[in-house]
């Protein structure tokens, strides 16, 4: 396929990190432009994330409603979480998030899509999985806290979510990308065309 993103790295003459947070930080790079000039670029350094579009046998998507303070909204989302451990296998992280946030397990896993959420200001990369053949998880429920203690869960038909995205009613990036990608897959080459769950992910290399 000739139409694709390609890795490239322009020279950096200096770097500083004016802020370090619990999970992320802010970095300033002095980047050499094609004309030889040097300009500062500030961006958030992020460990990466995974998200799960879990689809049940009735064609419904498992969604969560959670408060997000930066945007002052309660957003409908799909289960997601940080890659807390460097080199962590994203499939294992996705399985963990689905269990912790929704107490659900899945037998069939595939890569739905990979995205950079905000490439102009953050290096966060997200792998969105499609999980099918879902059922209630085994063992004790994960004890939620903080914003997650107020989460709501629902199962919504895929086409209802697609309509909500197009209408401007749903805004979470992983949900938007996930439901539109799945709708395109189902209308096109089908789920069997998706990459396997352990497909390479150059943006966040991992151990099998």
């Amino acid at each position: 396929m000739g139409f694709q993103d390609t890795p490239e790295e322009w020279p950096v003459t200096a770097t500083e990190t004016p802020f370090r947070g619990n999970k992320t930080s802010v970095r300033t790079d002095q980047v050499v432009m094609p004309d030889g000039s040097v300009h500062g670029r500030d961006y958030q350094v992020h460990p990466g994330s995974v998200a799960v579009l879990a689809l049940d046998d009735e064609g419904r998507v498992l969604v969560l409603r959670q408060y997000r303070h930066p945007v002052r909204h309660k957003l409908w989302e799909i289960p997601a979480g940080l890659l807390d451990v460097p080199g962590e296998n994203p499939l294992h992280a996705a399985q963990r998030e689905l269990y912790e946030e929704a107490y659900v397990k899945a037998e069939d896993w595939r890569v739905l899509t990979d995205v950079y959420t905000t490439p102009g200001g953050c290096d966060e990369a997200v792998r969105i999985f499609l999980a099918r053949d879902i059922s209630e998880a085994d063992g004790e429920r994960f004890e939620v806290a903080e914003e997650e203690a107020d989460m709501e869960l629902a199962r919504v038909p895929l086409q209802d979510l697609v309509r909500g995205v197009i209408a401007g009613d749903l805004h979470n990036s992983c949900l938007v990308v996930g439901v539109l990608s799945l709708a395109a897959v189902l209308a096109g080459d089908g789920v069997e065309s998706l990459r396997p769950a352990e497909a390479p992910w150059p943006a966040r290399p991992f151990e099998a």
Side-chain angles (χ1 to χ4, degrees):
M1 179 178 175
F3 193 71
Q4 61 187 30
D5 298 333
T6 55
E8 184 170 340
E9 187 169 354
W10 291 0
V12 174
T13 62
T15 297
E16 61 177 333
T17 306
F19 170 79
R20 294 184 185 275
N22 184 33
K23 298 293 185 181
T24 67
S25 60
V26 173
R27 181 178 296 165
T28 301
D29 288 345
Q30 300 299 323
V31 184
V32 181
M33 301 293 149
D35 64 0
S37 61
V38 178
H39 296 274
R41 293 292 179 262
D42 304 321
Y43 59 99
Q44 183 185 20
V45 179
H46 194 284
S49 306
V50 292
V52 185
L53 194 153
L55 189 69
D56 70 13
D57 293 339
E58 299 178 33
R60 300 176 302 176
V61 177
L62 193 156
V63 291
L64 316 166
R65 189 168 183 244
Q66 185 172 350
Y67 177 66
R68 294 300 188 182
H69 185 71
V71 296
R72 272 62 169 184
H73 270 72
K74 273 192 171 182
L75 300 179
W76 285 106
E77 308 178 351
I78 56 177
L82 297 176
L83 290 168
D84 295 312
V85 181
E88 183 177 16
N89 187 304
L91 174 59
H92 299 166
Q95 291 169 333
R96 180 189 68 231
E97 292 299 332
L98 186 60
Y99 161 71
E100 291 182 355
E101 294 191 349
Y103 197 64
V104 164
K105 62 181 179 180
E107 299 300 324
D108 184 80
W109 290 83
R110 299 165 194 268
V111 175
L112 185 55
T113 190
D114 298 324
V115 294
Y116 291 114
T117 55
T118 319
C122 180
D123 71 351
E124 181 184 17
V126 180
R127 169 156 281 188
I128 303 176
F129 290 91
L130 172 64
R132 298 187 303 165
D133 192 8
I134 64 174
S135 60
E136 185 173 291
D138 304 316
E140 296 183 4
R141 289 182 177 269
F142 181 77
E143 186 174 345
V144 296
E146 300 174 0
E147 289 92 343
E148 292 184 351
D150 189 51
M151 281 196 311
E152 304 169 48
L153 290 105
R155 295 190 182 195
V156 181
L158 175 65
Q159 288 306 315
D160 287 356
L161 295 175
V162 171
R163 294 186 189 98
V165 170
I166 301 304
D169 296 330
L170 300 170
H171 306 88
N172 175 265
S173 60
C174 289
L175 182 146
V176 170
V177 172
V179 300
L180 294 183
S181 295
L182 181 57
V185 167
L186 295 177
D189 295 332
V191 171
E192 296 303 320
S193 68
L194 293 173
R195 288 169 290 161
E198 294 280 8
W201 189 18
R204 291 293 185 273
F206 62 91
E207 299 178 4

